[in-house]
Amino acid sequence: EKGGYDSFMLKEIYEQPQAIKDTFRGRMLVDQGLIKMAGVDDHIDKFLNAKRILVVACGTSWHAGLVAEYIFEELARIPVEVEYASEFRYRNPVINEDDVVIAISQSGETADTMAAIKLAKENGAFVFGVCNVVGSSISRETHAGAYTHAGPEIGVASTKAFTTQITVLTLIALQLAKKKGKISTSQFHNYLVELESIPSKVKDALESNDHIEQIASVYKNAKNCLYLGRGFNFPVALEGALKLKEISYIHAEGYPAAEMKHGPIALIDSDMPVVVIATKKGHYEKVVSNIQEIKSREGKIIGVVTQGDIDVRGLADHAIEVPDTLEFLTPLLTTIPLQLLSYHIAIALGRDVDQPRNLAKSVTVE
Ligand code: M6R
């Protein structure tokens, strides 16, 4: 059942190229320059007239929502707010009839997310679900939705659910960007072509597995770990830190790289590994200068870099390469080494990666 892998988690990490492909298959018609998603197309006016999109989710699904915030705002120019479902449900939030609420949940059974959906519906919002489990409570409670086609995710630490959630949300953002006239037909086409190449690039990223295992052996006894990223990769930093906490029980925190100087930099010394997502995009130079600041305080740097990068490689203690892609698609690649890093650290510490202590696969109680 683990298909020759030692754990479900590792199997699920390796299933990502296929899971992403399965998620866009039939929806993304590259040759015709089209995206077809019944759940979106049937309610396109709701999406196009929305003054804003609210995302409600928990845990890793919340991180996928944060990535979506960056992608929706960049491509479709629709304001997005991302909320922890547990906060949203109790804080008397402002919900309008022209809001679109997107609820993201792998299991489709998370109690807080379910309660947030009910509240949004009571206030007249249109609620769209992004779930993995077919027929789950959330998929039935929402007005419409689009499934991720990740297949069953057994490991408690979410991996392929995350990347397929990002895939679905990217498809929606692209569809809305096109319908709103925010991107040209040729841009749209180029984006689809690039998205289609992501599964094979994820495969390339998985090739770093042995290198990452070796890095894990160096840092397995760390007490703390920082994860830094900017822009589209800030949420990836949060997700990398969550993964490490969950399965290795090492304390880890994710931060937007530039926030470091507002506090966390005080933590940095020679015992502090810092994972920095430094792909050669957008704010690359700024990330490089963040890395220099860490270096000068003797922090150990594990850089996630674009293939062929030399600048960060020269500064970092370790550099893990991912293929080049469009900036808004980089989270689908940069996530991979962070999953593998936490996996190998946890294994080196003898942890049960599939069933970490104190955690359940779906949190059906408050
Ligand atoms: O099933 P859901 O996506 O609603 O679950 C949300 C969180 O409980 C879940 O992502 C949790 O944080 C995972 N253990 C993360 O790996």
Side-chain angles (χ1 to χ4, degrees):
E1 53 184 22
K2 291 178 191 162
Y5 291 95
D6 292 339
S7 64
F8 284 109
M9 184 183 175
L10 192 60
K11 171 173 177 266
E12 289 159 7
I13 289 174
Y14 273 87
E15 281 172 347
Q16 287 175 110
Q18 192 60 43
I20 293 170
K21 204 183 281 174
D22 289 344
T23 297
F24 64 55
R25 182 187 298 131
R27 290 169 167 162
M28 187 169 79
L29 311 174
V30 181
D31 295 342
Q32 299 170 48
L34 275 181
I35 288 175
K36 282 192 180 171
M37 296 178 92
V40 177
D41 301 339
D42 293 351
H43 304 275
I44 194 72
D45 290 342
K46 291 267 180 209
F47 280 97
L48 296 179
N49 296 329
K51 297 243 167 23
R52 61 171 184 169
I53 293 174
L54 278 165
V55 177
V56 292
C58 304
T60 290
S61 297
W62 183 79
H63 294 153
L66 277 184
V67 175
E69 174 180 5
Y70 282 83
I71 298 177
F72 272 85
E73 295 202 349
E74 171 74 23
L75 298 178
R77 309 303 297 157
I78 305 173
V80 178
E81 284 170 43
V82 188
E83 299 242 12
Y84 285 116
S86 56
E87 285 296 310
F88 183 83
R89 65 181 291 195
Y90 286 120
R91 67 174 189 81
N92 191 17
V94 178
I95 307 169
N96 301 306
E97 288 185 4
D98 49 12
D99 287 336
V100 166
V101 174
I102 300 182
I104 309 172
S105 176
Q106 186 286 129
S107 63
E109 303 297 342
T110 300
D112 283 322
T113 309
M114 188 62 162
I117 291 167
K118 289 193 171 141
L119 182 65
K121 280 172 72 183
E122 280 161 24
N123 286 278
F126 172 72
V127 186
F128 187 92
V130 176
C131 296
N132 191 46
V133 177
V134 177
S136 54
S137 306
I138 290 176
S139 69
R140 285 182 279 119
E141 191 68 30
T142 42
H143 294 116
Y147 283 112
T148 49
H149 296 165
E153 190 182 66
I154 311 293
V156 164
S158 190
T159 54
K160 61 178 180 170
F162 180 65
T163 45
T164 55
Q165 285 163 345
I166 295 174
T167 303
V168 163
L169 294 159
T170 301
L171 290 172
I172 300 172
L174 285 168
Q175 182 76 320
L176 299 183
K178 184 182 165 212
K179 302 263 181 208
K180 279 182 152 304
K182 301 292 179 192
I183 53 176
S184 68
T185 309
S186 71
Q187 263 176 325
F188 182 76
H189 185 256
N190 291 344
Y191 293 170
L192 296 194
V193 169
E194 187 57 28
L195 181 53
E196 197 180 33
S197 76
I198 289 294
S200 82
K201 292 185 176 184
V202 170
K203 243 183 221 158
D204 278 1
L206 289 165
E207 298 284 321
S208 296
N209 184 53
D210 293 351
H211 179 209
I212 296 171
E213 185 173 6
Q214 194 195 319
I215 298 171
S217 70
V218 178
Y219 296 103
K220 65 174 200 281
N221 294 317
K223 294 276 170 288
N224 299 285
C225 190
L226 269 184
Y227 285 74
L228 305 177
R230 296 181 83 115
F232 296 94
N233 285 295
F234 155 54
V236 176
L238 298 182
E239 173 61 9
L242 177 64
K243 230 63 319 161
L244 188 69
K245 279 185 268 213
E246 280 189 294
I247 60 168
S248 74
Y249 318 144
I250 294 173
H251 172 242
E253 286 191 63
Y255 268 97
E259 269 296 302
M260 223 191 24
K261 58 182 155 310
H262 300 285
I265 199 163
L267 293 167
I268 292 175
D269 61 16
S270 57
D271 292 328
M272 177 68 99
V274 186
V275 179
V276 188
I277 304 158
T279 42
K280 214 165 183 129
K281 295 285 159 195
H283 305 291
Y284 177 71
E285 285 76 21
K286 296 200 187 296
V287 177
V288 172
S289 70
N290 296 141
I291 290 175
Q292 277 155 342
E293 288 157 15
I294 302 163
K295 271 306 266 189
S296 64
R297 288 159 185 87
E298 293 179 14
K300 298 284 181 298
I301 290 154
I302 303 162
V304 175
V305 304
T306 306
Q307 252 161 26
D309 173 278
I310 43 170
D311 302 332
V312 176
R313 183 173 287 281
L315 289 169
D317 295 270
H318 313 269
I320 307 169
E321 292 193 333
V322 294
D324 193 17
T325 188
L326 296 167
E327 187 173 10
F328 71 89
L329 296 175
T330 52
L332 291 168
L333 303 182
T334 52
T335 298
I336 308 297
L338 305 194
Q339 294 170 342
L340 288 170
L341 183 65
S342 54
Y343 173 82
H344 286 297
I345 291 178
I347 292 290
L349 294 171
R351 310 292 193 222
D352 180 347
V353 294
D354 285 340
Q355 287 192 296
R357 67 185 185 200
N358 308 339
L359 290 171
K361 182 63 184 163
S362 59
V363 184
T364 53
V365 292
E366 283 189 47

